[in-house]
Amino acid sequence: MNDLITGLDYILFDSFATRRERHMEMSVAYHMGKLSREFHSGQLDEDMLENVDETHFIINMDNGYTLGFQGDQEVKYADLVSGGQGMTMIVRLTGGRNARIETPMIIFQNKDRRYPIRGVPDDILGVCYRTWPKGWNDTLIFPQWCKENRVITRDRADCTRIIYMDNCSCHNETPELTAALQNINAIIRKLPPNSTHLCQPCDSFVIEKIKQE
């Protein structure tokens, strides 16, 4: 009897997973078809399309203690800080003729959301940072990302930027985010849920390569 129940559970789960995958594929197909139609009709300017995505890292921090003997060719670390430190990188990828990977923003862990962190200057070329208690993006940091001139600025010709990103809750509109987007003349379009690995260039190109390394 237990084997029968287990078998039925597996069939039901497999059927649900198949339906969910089929629904996701249909959503992506609709999204790509809509993009294609808007391109061909002239509604979309490829030069003003962008993609934004985040990736989370856990960095193991060395506590400085080592084990070994005189003459050893390798240093053996006695310990690493348990659990490591969480941090997030926000990646922005522009499109069109001058497509490029723009300045990323790193979000470090800091329980007081202190910025800048004492002893950690924010003057390194090619990157900037903010902080959050768990090292993740949220509805307070994301408007700061929009306001950071090293990350994104208003188009010189004042054309409207269209930024594609996933349905993460930190991307939901708040009064602060609305004001920040208006300031840089940009709008957000959400990608189909759970599909960034299929139709998000930041995820399938930039972030995937970082994870491989």
Side-chain angles (χ1 to χ4, degrees), residues 11-27:
I11 291 171
L12 289 172
F13 175 79
D14 186 56
S15 176
F16 172 75
T18 300
R19 290 199 306 272
R20 184 177 60 180
E21 184 175 342
R22 187 178 299 124
H23 175 73
M24 182 176 63
E25 290 174 350
M26 291 174 64
S27 297

Side-chain angles (χ1 to χ4, degrees), residues 89-178:
M89 180 172 69
I90 306 178
V91 177
R92 173 177 167 240
L93 186 66
T94 62
R97 294 162 294 180
N98 300 310
R100 56 178 290 174
I101 303 170
E102 296 290 351
T103 299
M105 176 180 280
I106 306 298
I107 304 172
F108 295 120
Q109 280 187 247
N110 184 279
K111 66 178 182 178
D112 299 321
R113 291 182 178 268
R114 185 174 289 114
Y115 172 79
I117 300 175
R118 186 171 60 183
V120 184
D122 189 11
D123 57 3
I124 306 300
L125 291 177
V127 70
C128 60
Y129 80 84
R130 292 296 188 275
T131 67
W132 189 64
K134 294 184 179 180
W136 189 240
N137 196 5
D138 72 348
T139 54
L140 294 179
I141 288 183
F142 193 60
Q144 296 179 33
W145 178 88
C146 295
K147 296 175 182 178
E148 175 56 71
N149 289 332
R150 289 168 293 178
V151 168
I152 187 170
T153 58
R154 198 179 185 97
D155 178 62
R156 291 181 181 179
D158 207 27
C159 296
T160 301
R161 300 181 186 277
I162 299 178
I163 306 175
Y164 284 91
M165 54 184 60
D166 62 29
N167 287 266
C168 180
S169 60
C170 64
H171 301 152
N172 292 340
E173 287 218 22
T174 62
E176 293 79 11
L177 179 57
T178 299

Side-chain angles (χ1 to χ4, degrees), residues 42-92:
Q43 288 178 263
L44 291 181
D45 178 359
E46 188 175 359
D47 289 336
M48 299 310 299
L49 296 188
E50 303 181 356
N51 286 267
V52 170
D53 200 10
E54 298 97 345
T55 184
H56 194 62
F57 299 96
I58 298 294
I59 307 299
N60 289 324
M61 308 296 287
D62 172 29
N63 68 357
Y65 292 98
T66 59
L67 290 176
F69 298 94
Q70 187 174 357
D72 280 354
Q73 298 300 308
E74 295 181 2
V75 174
K76 301 177 179 65
Y77 290 95
D79 188 26
L80 295 174
V81 174
S82 177
Q85 294 290 314
M87 57 182 277
T88 295
M89 180 172 69
I90 306 178
V91 177
R92 173 177 167 240

Side-chain angles (χ1 to χ4, degrees), residues 21 24-25 28 53 166 191-205 208:
E21 184 175 342
M24 182 176 63
E25 290 174 350
V28 170
D53 200 10
D166 62 29
L191 295 166
N194 306 312
S195 66
T196 52
H197 62 294
L198 296 175
C199 60
Q200 167 58 284
C202 278
D203 187 70
S204 59
F205 170 54
E208 181 183 353

